[in-house]
């Protein structure tokens, strides 16, 4: 699997654990936030624009806030890939126990650092209608 697509899966595993797993330890949040560039920006499904500081605050206050959260990723496609960057699109299904799933279409821009670490540089999420 393409390393950028694998990064999408790995990051969402951590997000699911941090938000939904009652046994998640502090290191889950640290590992998660370490994946994002200090210059990170995001457009949420509701149209708000977040920077790294806002993302950091969100995750630090949302530990175990969505018990049982399940996140599935599908339809991943690399739109562009260069020596030190890539753009990936994917669909994300989020579901809480006993509730209908929500669906998002996301586009992420990655940067690869000199040490080979991949950082999330920009994320744009769009809410999709439920099936």
């Amino acid at each position: 699997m393409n390393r950028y697509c694998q990064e999408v899966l790995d990051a969402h595993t951590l997000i699911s654990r941090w938000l939904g797993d009652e046994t998640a330890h502090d290191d889950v949040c640290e590992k998660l936030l370490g994946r994002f560039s200090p210059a990170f920006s995001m457009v949420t499904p509701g149209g708000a624009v977040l920077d790294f500081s806002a993302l950091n605050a969100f995750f630090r206050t949302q530990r175990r806030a969505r018990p049982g959260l399940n996140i599935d990723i599908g339809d991943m496609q690399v739109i562009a890939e260069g020596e030190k960057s890539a753009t990936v699109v994917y669909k994300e299904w989020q579901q809480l126990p006993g509730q209908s799933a929500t669906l998002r279409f996301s586009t992420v821009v990655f940067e690869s650092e000199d040490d080979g670490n991949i950082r999330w540089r920009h994320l744009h999420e769009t809410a999709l209608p439920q099936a």
Side-chain angles (χ1 to χ4, degrees), residues 69-102:
L69 175 65
N70 183 52
I71 300 176
D72 288 319
I73 303 297
D75 299 335
M76 276 191 292
Q77 182 179 3
V78 177
I79 298 300
E81 184 174 355
E83 185 177 325
K84 294 216 169 225
S85 64
T87 302
V88 176
V89 296
Y90 59 94
K91 287 184 182 171
E92 176 181 342
W93 291 264
Q94 291 191 9
Q95 188 167 21
L96 290 169
Q99 296 185 20
S100 298
T102 60

Side-chain angles (χ1 to χ4, degrees), residues 16-84:
S16 180
R17 284 185 59 207
W18 184 248
L19 298 179
D21 184 349
E22 301 228 353
T23 65
H25 295 285
D26 291 341
D27 67 323
V28 173
C29 189
E30 298 307 318
K31 288 177 186 175
L32 175 59
L33 289 170
R35 296 175 120 76
F36 294 89
S37 167
F40 177 77
S41 61
M42 175 182 180
V43 179
T44 70
V49 178
L50 305 178
D51 60 9
F52 179 81
S53 180
L55 181 77
N56 182 34
F58 169 79
F59 279 125
R60 293 199 184 276
T61 62
Q62 295 299 304
R63 181 183 202 173
R64 302 178 191 135
R66 301 184 73 195
L69 175 65
N70 183 52
I71 300 176
D72 288 319
I73 303 297
D75 299 335
M76 276 191 292
Q77 182 179 3
V78 177
I79 298 300
E81 184 174 355
E83 185 177 325
K84 294 216 169 225

